[in-house]
Amino acid sequence: MEPKFDMTIGGNRTATEHYSPIRNPSTGHVVGHAAIGATRHLDSAIAAARDAFNTWRLSSDLTRREACRAIAKVCLDNAGELAELLTLEQGKPLKGLGSEFELAGCAAWANATADLSLAAKVLQNNESGRIEMHRVPIGVVGSITPWNWPLMIAIWHLVPAIRTGNTVVIKPSPFTPLSTLRLVQLINEVLPAGVVNVISGGDELGAALSRHPSVGKMVFTGSTATGRKVMESAAASLKLLTLELGGNDAGIVLPDADPKAIAERLFWGAFVNSGQTCGALKRLYVHDSIYSAVCDALVDVAKSVRMGDGMDTTNVLGPIQNERQFKRVVELVDEARASGAAILTGGHPVGRGYFYPVTLVADIEEGTRLVDEEQFGPVLPIIRYSDVDDAIRRANGTEYGLDASVWGRDRIAAEEVAQKLEAGTVWINKHAEIAPHIPMGGIKSSGIGVEFGEEGLAAYTTIKIINAAV
Ligand code: NAD
């Protein structure tokens, strides 16, 4: 019998009557069983977090810094176990930009967040009085995470929350709950009881968390459709919100780009985590004059990359994580093919599990779902353009505004295009590169607010003014 993974509420491992089997998307084998929490578990997790808040909100800056560092150490000390669990439930390879990379990222983000601070500001200090502005915690933060980067996104939510004196109830995706359940168990060995709690279960538990009147802020990473629901539920008690939602990132390759020199970076910008990354390159606009050369260079990279079971350390790409997403990718490519697009490589499911090969699709344009919608899988549509302003207009012609990129040798020309693109981040000659000191967030339907950096940290606080007479 594969292991059972319990919730952690108020520092205690909490079992339930019901567990759901979690399957490895590469093999279909059961990896473990995740607790299915009920409303009463949600209520007690929020009560435990509320209790712990009374003390944690008064903890010193040093204590909170040390807590973040302790979480980083937990990630590093248990990297072997957690990375393997992550690969087994999510599918991503252990190596390359896979699970070991994700664990290293968790530690790096936790340590970097320990080093951030939001000092009080003196707004006025004169004969009429002294006025100070402080950043104070909100209370209980509810966190809901997706299945693509489960541990990294859990760390992005909970570490800044506790750094600023809040306590947390996290609900991982029902597709990948095991690694988060285990991570929070381990975190509870180094943090006071109730500061970080985890509950697992279906989507309805997420809805109940975002509706709960005792939660002061929701941080949600997932699809735009669900983000809208979280915002609606949060409205009743006017919760603060950070929403990191879907994207349909465009890249524009300018006529002066060198196809061979950029191919590898373009490829990994699109295919990191088999394309299941919010900020992956999802539509590539290439100037007519170098269209064939860019397509050929990308096909060459695709042929050199091994996809397969993530536990085999020679593989650098894994399967699609779940059946729903797999079927969607199959459908989008089949529709593109039927509409006359050219499949340069890939295009049909391979083997068992949810494996879909790296797929490059040419001679395609807007009006096809593969271009208009977020594919969230190992498929890249390559779109031809002849006028740069037209490419910018088409890149901006989406409800999304997460990221974008511009590729070319003339830096000034590339920056001019970057200024015109509607996105939270625009990279030049790279894509999907993030860091803990650089704020990240989407505009339009890609989200509200930012994570990372001082701006991201401030989102876990409210402003408090102390206004003293002389
Ligand atoms: P999803 O929206 O289906 O689910 C995300 C989480 O929301 C899960 O934990 C789910 O149980 C929960 N949920 C479902 N219904 C809910 C409800 N009504 N109320 C509250 N919670 C509910 O997303 P997903 O399929 O897990 O993730 C893929 C999506 O996430 C993609 O669109 C991707 O672009 C996006 N994403 C965005 C970022 C970012 O930083 N912008 C990062 C990663 C993923």
Side-chain angles (χ1 to χ4, degrees):
M1 170 80 174
E2 297 75 19
K4 281 184 171 174
F5 290 75
D6 292 327
M7 301 180 281
T8 304
I9 299 176
N12 300 313
R13 278 198 189 193
T14 308
T16 61
E17 304 84 58
H18 305 291
Y19 287 78
S20 74
I22 303 300
R23 291 180 188 279
N24 180 340
S26 293
T27 62
H29 296 152
V30 175
V31 179
H33 300 265
I36 304 180
T39 315
R40 68 175 196 285
H41 298 111
L42 173 72
D43 289 339
S44 50
I46 292 171
R50 188 67 228 174
D51 250 24
F53 179 65
N54 292 332
T55 319
W56 190 249
R57 65 188 272 262
L58 303 173
S59 59
S60 71
D61 192 63
L62 181 63
T63 302
R64 295 182 201 165
R65 266 180 212 273
E66 282 173 350
C68 298
R69 288 197 209 294
I71 292 175
K73 189 165 180 312
V74 161
C75 295
L76 292 176
D77 290 352
N78 299 280
E81 179 198 340
L82 290 169
E84 192 173 313
L85 190 54
L86 184 57
T87 289
L88 289 174
E89 71 170 344
Q90 206 282 339
K92 63 179 63 187
L94 270 178
K95 300 290 171 187
L97 298 171
S99 297
E100 291 177 1
F101 169 79
E102 185 161 345
L103 263 299
C106 290
W109 251 269
N111 275 326
T113 308
D115 291 339
L116 290 175
S117 62
L118 299 169
K121 278 188 189 158
V122 178
L123 302 180
Q124 183 186 313
N125 191 17
N126 57 22
E127 59 288 348
S128 350
R130 181 179 168 91
I131 306 176
E132 295 172 357
M133 184 177 87
H134 296 259
R135 288 269 174 190
V136 296
I138 298 159
V140 177
V141 170
S143 148
I144 299 178
T145 53
W147 47 259
N148 57 344
W149 293 87
L151 290 183
M152 187 97 108
I153 293 173
I155 289 290
W156 291 351
H157 289 185
L158 68 89
V159 173
I162 64 146
R163 174 72 187 88
T164 41
N166 303 280
T167 55
V168 179
V169 176
I170 183 168
K171 191 212 76 71
S173 165
F175 292 111
T176 54
L178 304 182
S179 49
T180 306
L181 288 166
R182 180 68 184 131
L183 174 69
V184 175
Q185 274 174 11
L186 292 164
I187 288 177
N188 270 267
E189 291 172 10
V190 298
L191 251 60
V195 172
V196 179
N197 307 273
V198 61
I199 49 163
S200 50
D203 295 349
E204 67 293 343
L205 210 57
L209 178 62
S210 44
R211 250 194 330 263
H212 202 290
S214 301
V215 171
K217 174 192 168 99
M218 283 304 303
V219 50
F220 171 82
T221 303
S223 63
T224 297
T226 310
R228 289 197 176 100
K229 290 183 192 161
V230 170
M231 192 168 182
E232 255 177 63
S233 321
S237 57
L238 292 178
K239 292 182 197 3
L240 296 170
L241 283 175
T242 300
L243 301 178
E244 296 290 355
L245 309 178
N248 195 2
D249 290 12
I252 298 183
V253 181
L254 298 174
D256 70 339
D258 176 347
K260 285 207 166 109
I262 62 172
E264 188 101 9
R265 268 174 287 148
L266 276 177
F267 181 88
W268 285 108
F271 292 98
V272 55
N273 202 26
S274 292
Q276 301 163 109
T277 298
C278 55
L281 181 57
K282 291 176 181 145
R283 298 174 288 157
L284 186 62
Y285 289 86
V286 181
H287 192 264
D288 196 31
S289 59
I290 53 168
Y291 187 80
S292 303
V294 169
C295 289
D296 292 347
L298 280 170
V299 169
D300 285 346
V301 182
K303 286 190 173 145
S304 71
V305 167
R306 272 180 67 98
M307 176 184 279
D309 189 327
M311 295 304 285
D312 174 343
T313 55
T314 59
N315 291 324
V316 291
L317 289 177
I320 293 175
Q321 202 280 327
N322 56 70
E323 188 182 15
R324 183 182 74 188
Q325 192 60 28
F326 176 78
K327 284 186 170 158
R328 178 173 160 77
V329 167
V330 170
E331 205 177 284
L332 292 182
V333 176
D334 287 352
E335 267 184 44
R337 185 191 287 109
S339 76
I343 311 291
L344 303 179
T345 184
H348 293 286
V350 278
R352 59 200 177 119
Y354 302 132
F355 286 105
Y356 199 89
V358 166
T359 299
L360 295 163
V361 182
D363 300 335
I364 184 167
E365 50 185 39
E366 297 83 0
T368 316
R369 283 170 69 210
L370 182 57
V371 175
D372 296 345
E373 297 181 13
E374 181 186 35
Q375 68 273 46
F376 219 63
V379 184
L380 181 66
I382 310 172
I383 306 145
R384 194 189 292 265
Y385 77 87
S386 50
D387 173 70
V388 176
D389 284 328
D390 181 49
I392 295 169
R393 187 184 52 74
R394 294 159 77 182
N396 287 340
T398 163
E399 65 161 325
Y400 295 114
L402 195 52
D403 324 287
S405 56
V406 191
W407 304 73
R409 277 186 270 216
D410 179 343
R411 174 56 64 90
I412 293 174
E415 277 176 18
E416 272 175 22
V417 175
Q419 290 292 353
K420 294 179 186 165
L421 286 169
E422 295 169 1
T425 299
V426 183
W427 290 285
I428 295 178
N429 291 322
K430 55 186 175 180
H431 201 103
E433 188 186 285
I434 55 172
H437 61 291
I438 305 170
M440 174 194 86
I443 59 169
K444 295 157 75 177
S445 293
S446 288
I448 292 182
V450 294
E451 296 185 279
F452 318 155
E454 280 181 20
E455 291 79 0
L457 197 63
Y460 287 87
T461 65
T462 53
I463 286 173
K464 181 173 191 174
I465 302 293
I466 306 281
N467 190 338
V470 269

